[in-house]
Amino acid sequence: MSNLRQLFLQHVAQTSETPLMLEITSAEGMYLYDPEGKAYLDLIAGIGVSSLGHRHPAVVQAAKDQLDKYLHTIVYGEFVLAPQIQLAQLMAEHLPEPLDSVYFVNSGTEATEGAMKLAKRYTGRPKIVAARYAYHGSSQGAASLMWPTDFTQAYHPLLPGIEHIEFNEEEDLDKIDRHTAAVIVETVQAEWGIRRPTDTYLLRLKERCEDVGALLILDEIQAGYGRTGTLWAFQQYGIVPDILLLAKGMGGGMPIGAFVASRELMQVLSHNPILGHITTFGGHPVSCAAALATLQTLLSTDLIDQVKAKEQLFRELLDHPKIVDKRSAGLWMAVELPDFDFVQGVIRHCLANGLVTDWFLFNSHSLRIAPPLIINENQVKEACRIIIDGIERQK
């Protein structure tokens, strides 16, 4: 074991007893590289983050340019900073009305926390409804939304006033009532293994929220920024949320998140009391510059237009009798296999053969595929060849 790996285990706090322990010395485009120069094709984009691949030239240049101007100046929301303003303006231009006010944070978890506070403040109501098998973050507020409680029970009690519904079950919508401040769902359920809404579910959900005066929060922390084949996943379902959550692919590899609402909603955080929501590093100028370059690149290229064809190629090539099911939403796929041990065997085979993949928090028997949007046809074929070989080798 290298000295660096030993120090990693000794001094870097661990999140599991079995970390992958892949040592990375550089990254470029679709590939990560270890100390021996071995290339690893990244099939999960750092869990949905590196949507333009690693070190995209436009993102790197934007970050470098901003480094030459200024870094942190003061807590978010006090100074007029061009990277924040330019990014917020471009986002608003490509979001439907009334989503025109952006609050920048550092991560998806923080976006969830801000949205929960905004919903309670605006409505004056105590209850929040969330979907089972959804993941919105790991801080205490966001973790309170999680069901089942396998990952949270050790930290109870968490927030009160949380009620759960079954995603895609319209009969459950009666649980949303006039005590409900907001309903928060993922536009596409991620950690349950890529579960898309039915044709009518989000429409009925939005209608129920409007009927009782609750806000609809859509979590596109993983689904946004072209992952599903449109810039925002909700564009495919004929609705507009009251609050939109974004992060992961937003920054092109830099840490940033946001919750977006109308100015009418957002302004309630500015009074009674003032400083209703604050963050020191949210909207960091370098992260905003990188995020601006990321969005500009997605808007000026045909990468999003290519998503559906690449999705179809994955679906065609990942064909094997041991594959139980394939669920996808653009360049985002769950390949269901017989059981957890089978999935882990395939993941180990892939890693040994230069391919990085993973599983899902609430669906441990499915293989996660969510590559950078820049993946090309030959790389799709190579990834699928390695996966099929890994499946073939499992007993």
Side-chain angles (χ1 to χ4, degrees), residues 15-64:
T15 58
S16 80
E17 295 177 338
T18 55
L20 287 174
M21 296 287 287
L22 180 61
E23 186 177 338
I24 301 300
T25 57
S26 63
E28 195 79 27
M30 283 296 303
Y31 295 93
L32 304 164
Y33 297 90
D34 71 10
E36 286 71 48
K38 181 178 178 179
Y40 293 83
L41 182 62
D42 187 356
L43 207 58
I44 54 174
I47 311 297
V49 170
S50 304
S51 55
L52 296 180
H54 297 280
R55 300 184 68 251
H56 188 280
V59 175
V60 171
Q61 189 60 55
K64 286 181 176 179

Side-chain angles (χ1 to χ4, degrees), residues 120-299:
K120 287 182 174 181
R121 172 68 177 85
Y122 184 79
T123 63
R125 297 176 177 183
K127 188 170 86 172
I128 293 180
V129 174
R132 297 184 180 95
Y133 302 105
Y135 178 78
H136 301 289
S138 196
S139 57
Q140 289 203 61
S144 301
L145 303 172
M146 198 184 305
W147 188 97
T149 61
D150 305 47
F151 295 98
T152 63
Q153 189 62 50
Y155 309 102
H156 283 204
L158 297 174
L159 285 186
I162 308 297
E163 192 165 349
H164 290 93
I165 57 175
E166 200 73 43
F167 189 75
N168 273 339
E169 292 291 337
E170 294 185 19
E171 295 81 1
D172 258 10
L173 299 184
D174 287 342
K175 294 180 180 178
I176 304 164
D177 57 28
R178 296 190 182 278
H179 299 287
T180 305
V183 181
I184 178 170
V185 298
E186 297 163 294
T187 310
V188 176
Q189 281 210 308
E191 299 303 326
W192 198 21
I194 315 303
R195 312 279 179 163
R196 300 180 62 161
T198 61
D199 290 342
T200 61
Y201 179 70
L202 291 180
L203 284 168
R204 299 290 87 78
L205 174 58
K206 176 67 172 176
E207 288 172 356
R208 179 61 181 173
C209 287
E210 290 177 342
D211 287 345
V212 301
L215 301 180
L216 176 59
I217 303 171
L218 285 186
D219 178 342
E220 296 209 358
I221 291 165
Q222 290 195 58
Y225 284 86
R227 173 63 57 191
T228 66
T230 50
L231 185 58
W232 320 114
F234 69 79
Q235 292 174 285
Q236 301 170 35
Y237 299 100
I239 65 159
V240 178
D242 297 295
I243 307 173
L244 178 67
L245 309 185
L246 301 168
K248 288 193 180 290
M250 181 177 180
M254 291 293 288
I256 189 170
F259 56 104
V260 188
S262 68
R263 193 170 185 279
E264 177 194 357
L265 260 71
M266 202 71 82
Q267 60 88 29
V268 301
L269 296 176
S270 67
H271 63 277
N272 296 328
I274 63 168
L275 306 179
H277 193 68
I278 52 177
T279 171
T280 298
F281 295 111
H284 192 280
V286 178
S287 291
C288 282
L292 178 61
T294 298
L295 184 53
Q296 288 171 333
T297 301
L298 288 171
L299 293 171

Side-chain angles (χ1 to χ4, degrees), residues 8 68 122 213 230 237 271 308 319 325-326 330 377:
F8 165 76
D68 287 336
Y122 184 79
T230 50
Y237 299 100
H271 63 277
K308 290 298 182 183
D319 185 24
D325 192 16
K326 291 178 287 192
E377 183 176 327

